[in-house]
Amino acid sequence: MNGITKDQIFPSPPASDRTHHQHGTSYSRPSPAKPELKCSPLSNPLTLETGGPIRYNRGPSRYVPGYLGSTGHSAVLLNNKGLVGEDWSNEPTGSQEWCESCENESLVRFGATILAWVPARRLCEEALARYFRVTLAVTSCKPMYELYVNRFFDTFGHLLEEPSNCSSNLAAVSKALCKNTASFRISNDLDIPKSTPEFLDSFTGQKSRWDMLGTVIVAIGFVAMSLPPTDPFLCEILPKGMSVREYSTSLLEVADACLMLCDELDVQSNLLSLLLLYKCTCYQAVIGGDISSSLWRRTGSLVAAATAFGLHRPSAKEKPYSLLFIEMQKRIFSSCIGICFELATFHGRPPCITRHYLSNDYPLDASEEELMQDDEDAIKHKLCPDGWNKTGEIHPATMGKAFMISHLIREEILEICLGRKLPPLELQRRVQEVRERIDAEFASFPDQLRTPLSKELIHSKEAADISCIAQVQLRFIHHSFLLEQLDHPARDEERHLHTARRLLEAVNLLWTERDRFVEHKDDVHWFITNYGIPSASALSVDLYHQSNSNPTRPPSPNRPKTIQDLILFVAALEWVSEIDGNYALCQRVSKLLRHILDRVLAPPAVNGYYSPQDQFAGFDLNEMSVANVPAFGADLEDWLNVDWSNAPRMVFG
């Protein structure tokens, strides 16, 4: 086996034992110690759970310019490097001290605590297979992840799985990953790899790094959150004595620890560290909910890191180049600004970036296997004139392109809703323009994304496809919902309520059919929180105003259906499990909707008093004959034999 030998073991203080307990055909273990740092390794000495003081004097930081635009401090010099005779892309000082930091004993021990959380190979492979089955995976290339895990365990597996000398083995692997993570920044990784094999070789096998390992850990955490409690695999992957919530939260801390190591090793701007930051941001939203202030701050850091890498503008590519690398840049940036715009909408705050600074291209609508071939011309030859694939398949890149189009529309809506107040007629014009753009962009989408959601469609397609279709369609209905609630001279309240009903009906349909995609419950949670709550709020408030308006005014013909939809949505809110980050929000909204429905459905008052007879308006008590309904003392069999299709009905207004 071509792996790390014990001669390369780096001595370290004893860590918590990685004792293995036989569990079927794989190893399971007690809960490892968490890689917690109360402060940065640059601070005063402190003690880790693994023991030993941190005395780490970091050398001068490397000069990592990242992307510098035309207003940059050295833009003129960069554009005239031939004249000034200096390469500004190289660090001026501190290179040697920085390279030696990867062998710091404290960082190696810290990395060893991270490795203690990596499951056995079989569990990792099974978790990844399930991850790509239950997520959209727009930013995650399945062949790339599979290759990383295979090469990682081929190289380090014998050290990770060996029961004896576990702490020393983990230290050896940690030292190797620290070296690889640090040395990756010595080369100018802002340059595009010449081929996909060159790109894959830079972080797999002997060159495995902390950033990519962190994304695998996040994938395992996503799977643990999505599995139903009765799934046998959940019992295999959970450490002894830990709940799903505790395990998932711990994995977020472990993934954040990988980010911390990348930061300590001066790796702030490579593509995989940005991918890890995005994955951790999404994972925090699932665990901690969308209303947390820490998530808002992390999203700002994510967008700042993406622009520092220059992903907001087209790549300066020259053949030959890695097509997979280029396309991952597009898809990662699309996802970064997507979570920024969605969270800005959720909070009603301005986003961290606007469309005016974006000039990057849409992702190519191709399969992962096609991207691995590095033949961009062959892929474009297979696409329709509008850039969609001709096969009708829904690839991760298909969703990436659809999301990017949606993101740009959403940002414009946010600008209208949250920007400076426009004159009424100008606002009316902008609303009409965006409304037409929404219709035009959605009409340009391929048929597989535009087929209306229905019970028949849900039962005729795979769960993953339904989740993708729902993501796209709900986003575009939500665009219209946000637009129609703006107050301008031509505002049509009925149009707004109609859009709200469409949105809520789609959410209720997906919830009632949730058994069709059990492993996609996190997607259903998101549908309920992000789309159901605003639409249900609009409908319930309108319903309340109807009930308290002029009593001579006839009720809306949509009133019974609206009440039914709201009652169903309250049940959906209460279905959201306690381990979901938005559980508390859903419970609070459920209580508010119940209160409104109680007020709406309260019996009418007569002269200040409620009349019990009003509850039976339209119900003829004389029809309650023995022939129709059995006496209350009758046997159960008599009740079961009643022809309820001819039984009297109460008329609910």
Side-chain angles (χ1 to χ4, degrees), residues 18 29 115-121 123-124 153 161 220 237 247:
R18 186 181 167 93
R29 56 186 177 278
L115 292 169
W117 286 86
V118 178
R121 178 172 190 160
L123 298 180
C124 277
F153 281 101
E161 297 296 341
I220 296 170
I237 202 170
Y247 181 59

Side-chain angles (χ1 to χ4, degrees), residues 490-651:
R491 183 177 187 268
D492 185 351
E493 177 63 17
E494 189 54 43
R495 184 200 291 265
H496 177 225
L497 295 175
H498 173 70
T499 308
R501 276 190 287 272
R502 286 179 59 205
L503 199 55
L504 185 60
E505 287 172 1
V507 171
N508 282 342
L509 172 65
L510 292 165
W511 177 70
T512 55
E513 297 294 330
R514 61 193 178 278
D515 290 341
R516 290 287 301 168
F517 33 97
V518 176
E519 292 182 331
H520 294 260
K521 66 178 182 181
D522 286 335
D523 292 339
V524 180
H525 287 174
W526 171 247
F527 299 153
I528 291 172
T529 305
N530 195 53
Y531 305 119
I533 289 178
S535 56
S537 301
L539 291 172
S540 61
V541 169
D542 177 73
L543 194 65
Y544 179 80
H545 288 322
Q546 286 184 30
S547 301
N548 289 271
S549 61
N550 188 346
T552 61
R553 174 188 172 188
S556 168
N558 296 313
R559 186 173 187 270
K561 182 67 168 60
T562 301
I563 293 174
Q564 179 183 358
D565 288 340
L566 289 173
I567 292 174
L568 191 61
F569 182 68
V570 168
L573 288 170
E574 297 179 351
W575 166 81
V576 174
S577 59
E578 294 184 12
I579 66 172
D580 187 84
N582 289 317
Y583 170 76
L585 173 64
C586 291
Q587 291 298 304
R588 187 164 70 249
V589 174
S590 172
K591 183 181 296 186
L592 292 173
L593 292 180
R594 281 180 174 275
H595 175 72
I596 292 176
L597 286 171
D598 287 343
R599 297 287 298 272
V600 169
L601 298 176
V606 178
N607 296 327
Y609 296 95
Y610 289 116
S611 172
Q613 287 77 13
D614 290 333
Q615 301 181 49
F616 300 97
F619 188 80
D620 190 356
L621 295 177
N622 294 325
E623 293 185 8
M624 297 286 290
S625 61
V626 177
N628 287 329
V629 179
F632 284 102
D635 295 333
L636 177 62
E637 184 177 354
D638 296 329
W639 284 89
L640 294 177
N641 290 331
V642 173
D643 182 8
W644 292 105
S645 62
N646 294 321
R649 295 289 186 269
M650 295 178 67
V651 178

Side-chain angles (χ1 to χ4, degrees), residues 145-285:
Y145 272 71
E146 292 174 342
L147 181 67
Y148 177 83
V149 169
N150 288 335
R151 289 185 178 179
F152 179 80
F153 281 101
D154 286 345
T155 306
F156 303 108
H158 63 294
L159 294 177
L160 295 175
E161 297 296 341
E162 188 176 341
S164 61
N165 293 325
C166 253
S167 59
S168 299
N169 290 349
L170 296 181
V173 180
S174 175
K175 181 182 177 183
L177 266 62
C178 285
K179 279 187 173 181
N180 294 335
T181 303
S183 62
F184 185 74
R185 284 298 293 127
I186 294 176
S187 62
N188 184 7
D189 59 81
L190 294 178
D191 291 336
I192 299 173
K194 301 301 182 184
S195 66
T196 292
E198 177 187 330
F199 171 54
L200 297 176
D201 289 342
S202 68
F203 61 86
T204 59
Q206 296 276 9
K207 297 181 179 179
S208 294
R209 307 202 310 260
W210 286 117
D211 41 22
M212 189 62 192
L213 180 63
T215 65
V216 173
I217 290 172
V218 171
I220 296 170
F222 267 116
V223 170
M225 288 285 287
S226 66
L227 291 176
T230 55
D231 195 308
F233 183 64
L234 189 60
C235 301
E236 290 188 71
I237 202 170
L238 284 181
K240 296 177 64 176
M242 293 193 76
S243 66
V244 174
R245 177 76 183 182
E246 293 170 338
Y247 181 59
S248 302
T249 305
S250 298
L251 288 189
L252 177 59
E253 296 176 14
V254 173
D256 278 333
C258 292
L259 272 175
M260 184 181 296
L261 276 177
C262 292
D263 182 64
E264 290 300 322
L265 295 168
D266 264 341
V267 183
Q268 300 104 349
S269 62
N270 75 72
L271 188 63
L272 295 183
S273 66
L274 177 62
L275 175 61
L276 175 56
L277 179 57
Y278 168 73
K279 294 289 187 182
C280 288
T281 305
C282 295
Y283 195 29
Q284 182 178 348

Side-chain angles (χ1 to χ4, degrees), residues 39 112 121 127 176 304 316 323 330 390 394 403 408 463 497 522 573 618 631 636:
C39 57
R121 178 172 190 160
L323 183 59
K330 298 177 186 177
K390 299 178 181 178
I394 302 178
F403 286 165
L408 297 178
L497 295 175
D522 286 335
L573 288 170
L636 177 62

